[in-house]
């Protein structure tokens, strides 16, 4: 089972979503407070069943928020970001070599986030 791990960052608090094997699936922004980070976790839990918008395809369909966006970064790696209903990015992924691996990451978020426990290391 997955878990959200709250961690202290240089300028606040952030979280990582870990799969059952301990691998980081998604990371948050840095929040000003632990309470804000916990609200971010709840937002991920509430929005993790969102549709996927694959921006790496030339003729992709623009989906409404909440959504996962698949995109290529400056290094050419494929990543995803989860946007809440208000369009704010609430979680981002590591870089993947291809779309299939990125989509597996999204499926892992969908599987692990809803029932993930919160571990406070902040």
């Amino acid at each position: 089972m997955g878990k959200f791990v709250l961690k202290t960052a240089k300028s606040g608090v952030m979280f990582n979503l870990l799969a059952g094997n301990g691998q980081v699936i998604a990371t948050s922004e840095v929040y000003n407070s632990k309470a804000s980070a916990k609200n971010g976790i709840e937002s991920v839990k509430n929005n993790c069943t969102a549709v996927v918008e694959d921006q790496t395809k030339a003729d992709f369909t623009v989906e409404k928020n909440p959504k996962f966006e698949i995109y290529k970064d400056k290094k050419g790696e494929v990543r995803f970001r989860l946007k809440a209903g208000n369009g704010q990015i609430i979680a981002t992924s590591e870089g993947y070599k291809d779309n299939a691996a990125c989509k597996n990451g999204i499926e892992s978020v969908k599987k692990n986030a809803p029932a993930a426990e919160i571990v406070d290391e902040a």
Side-chain angles (χ1 to χ4, degrees):
M1 180 185 296
K3 62 183 174 183
F4 286 97
V5 179
L6 285 165
K7 295 187 170 258
T8 303
K10 285 184 180 178
S11 59
V13 180
M14 61 169 292
F15 64 81
N16 288 320
L17 173 60
L18 278 57
N21 64 4
Q23 184 176 356
V24 175
I25 311 167
T27 302
S28 75
E29 66 179 348
V30 177
Y31 294 90
N32 293 328
S33 69
K34 194 179 291 187
S36 295
K38 286 182 177 179
N39 286 341
I41 290 171
E42 288 307 310
S43 186
V44 170
K45 288 184 173 194
N46 292 334
N47 291 289
C48 69
T49 59
V51 298
V52 177
E53 177 182 291
D54 189 347
Q55 297 177 353
T56 65
K57 295 186 176 180
D59 58 347
F60 72 90
T61 302
V62 176
E63 303 287 351
K64 291 184 180 179
N65 293 323
K67 64 184 171 184
F68 284 94
E69 292 178 342
I70 297 175
Y71 66 99
K72 282 198 174 182
D73 66 14
K74 292 177 183 176
K75 293 181 182 176
E77 293 182 316
V78 183
R79 296 178 179 266
F80 70 79
R81 56 186 161 231
L82 175 57
K83 288 188 169 182
N86 64 3
Q88 183 176 357
I89 297 170
I90 52 177
T92 58
S93 74
E94 64 182 2
Y96 295 97
K97 293 186 188 244
D98 57 43
N99 281 36
C102 187
K103 287 178 181 176
N104 286 341
I106 291 171
E107 289 307 311
S108 189
V109 171
K110 291 182 174 190
K111 175 184 168 190
N112 287 285
E117 66 175 322
I118 299 173
V119 178
D120 189 346
E121 295 181 358

